[in-house]
Amino acid sequence: MQIVMILVPLVLIVVALGIVLFSWAVKNGQYDDLEGPAHRILYDDDKDMIPDEARTDKPSAKDQQNTTDAGDPDQEPPKS
């Protein structure tokens, strides 16, 4: 019976701590966007890092021009 006198206040303290931590997480935006990081991994930003022979979609002439222009920072962009 004495263990109950120890466990009940201990459980109440743990529950109160859990509620405080959960409310802190909600206020700081931890649960705002649950789907964004899962979808962001699907969109690849490194097309220029894939070798041409390994690409399934062949780069267009515009993509090749952009990669060659980006390689030389001193070169002026082409004028239209």
Side-chain angles (χ1 to χ4, degrees):
M1 188 68 180
Q2 291 177 354
I3 193 71
V4 173
M5 297 301 210
I6 296 172
L7 288 179
V8 169
L10 184 66
V11 168
L12 290 176
I13 291 171
V14 169
V15 168
L17 182 65
I19 291 172
V20 168
L21 288 176
F22 179 73
S23 65
W24 172 83
V26 169
K27 287 179 185 178
N28 285 326
Q30 297 294 318
Y31 297 107
D32 283 350
D33 185 15
L34 296 177
E35 304 263 336
H39 291 270
R40 193 176 315 127
I41 196 170
L42 299 175
Y43 301 111
D44 217 1
D45 294 352
D46 54 351
K47 283 187 179 182
D48 57 334
M49 299 173 76
I50 301 172
D52 289 337
E53 59 270 4
R55 289 188 182 195
T56 56
D57 59 333
K58 296 298 178 189
S60 64
K62 184 178 180 181
D63 290 338
Q64 288 178 350
Q65 181 182 9
N66 288 342
T67 57
T68 56
D69 289 345
D72 189 10
D74 295 331
Q75 184 181 8
E76 293 183 13
K79 297 180 181 175
S80 301

